Amino acid sequence: MNIVGDFISGAANGFREVWANKLRSLLSMSGIILGVAALVAMIGVVQGMVSNLRVSFENSGGILRLNVETQDPPEEQRHIEGRSPGRTLNDAIALREGLTHAQFVGAEVEGGWSRFEARGHRRWALVRGVLPDNLNFDTRGLAEGRFVSELDVLYGSPVVVIGSEVRDRLFGDIDSPLGEVVRIQGGSYTVVGVMEESLSEAGGGVRSRFVDRQNFMPATTVLRRFREDQNIRELTVMAKDLPSLPDLIEQIENILMQTHRGIEDFYVSTRDEQLADLRRLERSFMFSLGGIAAISLLIGGIGIMNVMLASVSERIREIGVRKAIGARSYDVFLQFLSEAVVISVVGGILGLLLSVGLLAGLREIIPDGDRISGAPLVAMFWGFIFSSGIGLLSGIYPAIRAARLDPIDALRYE
Amino acid sequence: MSVDQIEKPAEDAVFTLRNLRRTYEMGSETVRALDGVSLTIPDGQFLAIIGSSGSGKSTLMHILGFMDSPTGGTMNFEGEDVTGISRARRASLRANRIGFVFQSFNLLPRLSVIDNVVLPLIYGERPVRRKDRIEAGMQALQRVGMDHRAKHTPNQLSGGERQRVSIARALINKPRLILADEPTGNLDSKNRKVVMDLFTKLIEEGITLALVTHDDVVANYADRRIRMQDGKIIEDDRS
Ligand SMILES: Nc1ncnc2c1ncn2[C@@H]1O[C@H](COP(=O)(O)OP(=O)(O)OP(=O)(O)O)[C@@H](O)[C@H]1O
Ligand SMILES: [Mg+2]
């Protein structure tokens, strides 16, 4: 017995039946269409978000990155808390000199949002004071020129590395802004470099206007010109490799104990937690998506089953006739099953098309919509498999009902 | 000839029934739709089955047409004992060896005339290509004089025309036996004559026909008339 052949000719008849009842078929498909569309579109959104989080996690140092955070010192040190200078640029300098297992040491001083002016244009943009190694902690590279150098830091030079969005706003009318002067908060700074757009490959396809409005200056320059205190916002160390991580942490703690004069107002945080968070996030997204998918496809399946049951009772006489002239129960079973599968497969395909449109639409509407990826092929594949599977499952019961009908009873039915 | 006399399965008989019973259990009550029917239908015979309403005529036709099974007795079809055969085997016999004509035509309204006629071929023993199906269908339609309406749908036809199409459908698998349950019941006298002349022509071509009717005019076309009452054959008239 050639089941596949029977099924293919059944599917052809199924198509004819579906086409003959266009409106009814469309209504019965609607659950599957919406279910598949929502599923694929949501997977697209979530996958885009999560993979971008992952890429920026990796590009900003991954698991090898350590941060020195501040904390309240323990109870017994509270009364001498004032002896510690807190987290300062000196910490970074001491770490750079003392660490043997570190790849990079970065520090950041916040300069705040400031007004940038050049060539008659103005733009509010963020000033970040950094060390040369900070380039390695950024998801972006340099588009042109150079980054903040050791000498810049040493002398507190009035130089700036601007973000791509700032370049477009202030220097959109010239070829290269290198060597041009920008007025920021009353001071003059020479542009020595331009950062890449965050949309670039290294940024994981994430374009963020916020990121592209960030500009770098030497940490010393920012401390001198933009701040009253000596506090730094971030102190970052990147390990050479994973095995050296514990030793490195110990070294950091030893060195900082000296610069903080024995006060434990800091701790070294690893990114284990962040990685675990990321994984938890991914998992919970996938679980909730799985739940939504299951529910929507269940509803789709119930819709199809409902329509198929109605179709069976509408066609009892037809079933009787077919059986009377020789159709086996198997033939009738296959006829109705293939109709259900055709409905759900067509519904699944329409749902996939809708999801592509939905994602394209979302990318336009949502702020930061560029984070949304295109309809992912894997999701489309599974959406398709699930919808046909649902058709198969929801078609089985009505098909059995049809196949079980007794020809005499069916023919007597009015 | 006595109706209770047991007939031997004849070599050239299409059907031989012995003491056939069909009962329905309705709660505590037992309905004997067929109550010991013995009957031989020889090859080429035109048999009319008559009798009052509820006497078991349709029940007998359904069993002869392999749509129903007897609850007692034996039946032999074309030399083969078919008493307790499986559902699948019965379906196969329906598709390949018997043509059935109904009172209410039972054509599928959504299919064209030609597609209705070739429908049994889809369920036949061997697959038939569409081109060959159409050819066979057109031949069957020619035999009933309906080939010019092949592309129409059943509801574009008169009752008599529909019945001729359904006879073409019964002929498509070239069966020896055609069963007809009140085939003229829904027709006026003019169309009744057309259909009965068609049946007469088919008998001359060698078909065996068993037909249920309430109509004496129709019964008089037959070679033999059996009368049923309370699930039994009470009269067997060969003239
Ligand atoms: N499915 C069934 N369940 C119970 N009783 C049935 C069933 N089918 C038929 N019967 C009974 O069997 C008997 C014979 O019915 P059958 O249909 O064979 O009569 P008939 O001779 O064809 O009558 P008519 O001339 O009205 O068509 C009737 O008493 C009928 O009520
Ligand atoms: Mg009857």
Side-chain angles (χ1 to χ4, degrees), chain A residues 17 20-21 314-315 317-318 320-329 331 335 403-404 406-408 411-412, chain B residues 24 62 65 67-68 87-88 91-92 94-95 100 102 104 106-108 110-111 116 119-120 122-123 169 173:
Chain A
E17 200 60 43
N21 299 292
E314 216 172 76
R315 286 151 70 189
R317 247 193 118 78
E318 172 188 332
V321 172
R322 286 179 184 270
K323 283 198 147 183
I325 62 172
R328 292 162 296 171
S329 296
D331 296 312
Q335 179 192 344
R404 278 218 187 123
D406 180 73
I408 299 170
L411 282 175
R412 201 175 282 145
Chain B
Y24 296 100
H62 291 148
M67 284 193 257
D68 195 7
R87 281 156 56 100
S92 164
R94 291 201 295 271
F100 212 105
F102 304 89
S104 51
N106 280 334
L107 299 170
L108 299 188
R110 263 197 305 239
L111 299 185
N116 264 289
L119 201 56
I122 294 173
Y123 302 121
R169 179 178 65 188
N173 269 319

Side-chain angles (χ1 to χ4, degrees), chain B residues 210-225:
Chain B
L211 173 151
V212 170
T213 186
H214 282 118
D215 185 340
D216 287 342
V217 178
V218 169
N220 282 329
Y221 278 85
D223 313 329
R224 175 188 181 192
R225 280 159 293 278

Side-chain angles (χ1 to χ4, degrees), chain A residues 188-255:
Chain A
S188 296
Y189 300 85
T190 307
V191 177
V192 294
V194 182
M195 298 303 286
E196 280 176 342
E197 263 185 32
S198 53
L199 184 62
S200 65
E201 189 96 19
V206 181
R207 178 163 62 202
S208 162
R209 286 182 187 99
F210 172 69
V211 169
D212 289 332
R213 273 167 80 177
Q214 301 179 6
N215 309 274
F216 297 104
M217 285 188 197
T220 44
T221 311
V222 173
L223 280 176
R224 196 172 308 154
R225 305 224 200 165
F226 289 80
R227 296 193 72 91
E228 255 98 65
D229 60 15
Q230 291 296 306
N231 288 340
I232 61 177
R233 197 176 80 88
E234 202 173 68
L235 182 54
T236 316
V237 178
M238 180 113 96
K240 282 204 174 78
D241 48 34
L242 219 47
S244 64
L245 216 54
D247 284 347
L248 181 63
I249 292 172
E250 208 181 308
Q251 275 190 339
I252 294 172
E253 284 169 351
N254 288 339
I255 291 170

